[in-house]
Amino acid sequence: MTEVISTIPVSRLRQRLIEDMNLRHFSMETQRNYTRDVGRFATYLGRPPDTATAEDLHRFQIEQREAGVPVPTMNSIVSALRFFFTNTVDRPDLARKLVRVKSMRKLPVVLSRDEVTRLLNATTCLKHQAALSVGYGAGLRVAEISMLKVRDIDSERMLIRVERGKGGQYRNAMLSKDLLTLLRHWWKVGHQAGVMHRDGWLFPGQHYSKPISTRQLHRIVVEAARAAGIGKRVCPHTLRHSFATHLLEDGIDIRVIQVLLGHAKLENTAFYTKVATRTVRTVISPLDKLGIFTVADTAPDG
């Protein structure tokens, strides 16, 4: 009987956490991650997480580090617990005790334009090609692609409405002419097959009432990359990285790219300058401008 009673507060806290996330329009993926991470802390604690102390959080983070938990995972848990203690149980004092771990940010994998072409052409069906083309052509996150509906394609203003972006933010993404042509073709085929409806998902899953999953999109990208003979480690986010990098190399202002990507901080967008090799190659070195060294008319000695 005691065990049953002890689980009731946890269940109520879980429901309250979900309600708080829904109020802020968090994506389903974020909700799953936050629920899982708060549950992980509750398991460690052995009692309802709202009874935690600052020392509990301190020991939890130390044990995570000693257990070799990857830094991104540790920081993800910090984000979940900060939200939980700040919003769900109104204990911001505990949220301030959580420490984010600094890490060296790895350079993103970026495909060349030729590799993107090969990957898109290596997809096995029109729906897959259209979904991946949205990732590259509009720079959308994989969860954003999954949650798109047919009505989100605004052909009059040439925009894609992203209603559930990261952090529940709304924004407009670009819609190119070629991408619109492809999506119209997909709509025609999908509608005739009975899997697409005007109020339905742009990319339905196995059943038209549910969207394609992010896991399936990941598998589609990996299989297309393998079929295209691309040796790089590719995932759906690789297309978003490539979108940003190629725009930067084409001379698009970095603040415009920031808006298109939906980045809250410019520093996140500026990171792509480190992989924009075409931009580096177009810069003229100040040494060349001195004109000191010229190619000799005669062959070098030796």
Side-chain angles (χ1 to χ4, degrees):
M1 184 68 178
T2 304
E3 182 179 352
V4 173
I5 293 175
S6 67
T7 60
I8 291 176
V10 177
S11 177
R12 288 176 178 171
L13 282 175
R14 178 189 177 92
Q15 183 59 37
R16 177 63 185 274
L17 173 62
I18 293 172
E19 290 172 355
D20 289 339
M21 291 188 290
N22 280 330
L23 282 173
R24 290 159 181 81
H25 301 291
F26 282 12
S27 69
M28 292 305 299
E29 184 175 7
T30 299
Q31 292 193 35
R32 284 194 296 269
N33 292 341
Y34 276 29
T35 303
R36 178 200 62 210
D37 291 340
V38 173
R40 181 181 299 182
F41 175 65
T43 300
Y44 162 82
L45 202 60
R47 62 180 193 274
D50 60 334
T51 65
T53 65
E55 180 60 24
D56 290 330
L57 291 173
H58 180 66
R59 293 304 313 169
F60 175 64
Q61 289 204 277
I62 287 178
E63 291 193 19
Q64 279 190 310
R65 184 191 62 193
E66 292 177 347
V69 176
V71 170
T73 302
M74 291 180 65
N75 287 336
S76 177
I77 295 173
V78 167
S79 297
L81 292 177
R82 280 182 177 175
F83 180 86
F84 173 76
F85 285 117
T86 301
N87 299 281
T88 303
V89 298
D90 194 22
R91 295 190 64 187
D93 55 308
L94 286 184
R96 290 192 292 269
K97 298 295 183 181
L98 292 158
V99 180
R100 292 187 67 85
V101 183
K102 291 186 177 180
S103 63
M104 294 296 294
R105 187 174 177 182
K106 295 182 179 179
L107 291 177
V109 174
V110 174
L111 301 178
S112 67
R113 287 168 169 81
D114 175 67
E115 286 173 328
V116 173
T117 300
R118 285 158 46 202
L119 185 145
L120 295 179
N121 286 333
T123 50
T124 57
C125 69
L126 182 59
K127 181 175 79 170
H128 294 174
Q129 185 180 53
L132 299 192
S133 295
V134 169
Y136 174 69
L140 267 58
R141 301 177 178 92
V142 63
E144 295 170 346
I145 298 172
S146 170
M147 299 303 293
L148 283 177
K149 293 193 172 183
V150 174
R151 65 171 181 265
D152 293 329
I153 306 302
D154 188 343
S155 59
E156 291 186 5
R157 297 193 298 160
M158 296 301 290
L159 296 172
I160 299 176
R161 291 186 294 270
V162 181
E163 294 190 355
R164 293 289 182 89
K166 189 173 183 179
Q169 297 297 315
Y170 291 71
R171 78 174 194 279
N172 289 322
M174 66 182 294
L175 175 63
S176 69
K177 292 181 179 179
D178 284 355
L179 181 57
L180 177 59
T181 299
L182 177 61
L183 291 178
R184 280 175 169 166
H185 183 35
W186 161 233
W187 159 257
K188 182 178 180 180
V189 172
H191 189 59
Q192 289 177 346
V195 299
M196 291 187 71
H197 305 275
R198 293 194 179 278
D199 293 325
W201 302 105
L202 184 61
F203 302 112
Q206 293 183 348
H207 192 274
Y208 73 87
S209 64
K210 294 183 179 180
I212 191 171
S213 68
T214 56
R215 181 175 297 180
Q216 186 177 357
L217 285 170
H218 186 279
R219 183 167 58 249
I220 291 168
V221 172
V222 171
E223 291 176 354
R226 185 183 301 116
I230 298 172
K232 298 175 181 177
R233 189 172 183 177
V234 178
C235 68
H237 217 69
T238 305
L239 296 172
R240 177 173 161 89
H241 290 322
S242 303
F243 164 84
T245 304
H246 295 166
L247 286 181
L248 191 61
E249 291 179 338
D250 287 340
I252 304 301
D253 186 274
I254 195 169
R255 292 190 181 276
V256 174
I257 300 175
Q258 177 190 4
V259 172
L260 293 175
L261 291 173
H263 281 164
K265 298 179 181 179
L266 182 62
E267 63 188 59
N268 292 333
T269 314
F271 192 67
Y272 290 109
T273 59
K274 297 184 178 182
V275 289
T277 57
R278 185 175 170 185
T279 302
V280 175
R281 292 196 302 268
T282 60
V283 177
I284 300 175
S285 169
L287 179 64
D288 291 350
K289 291 185 177 182
L290 295 179
I292 299 176
F293 305 105
T294 58
V295 179
D297 293 331
T298 57
D301 294 337

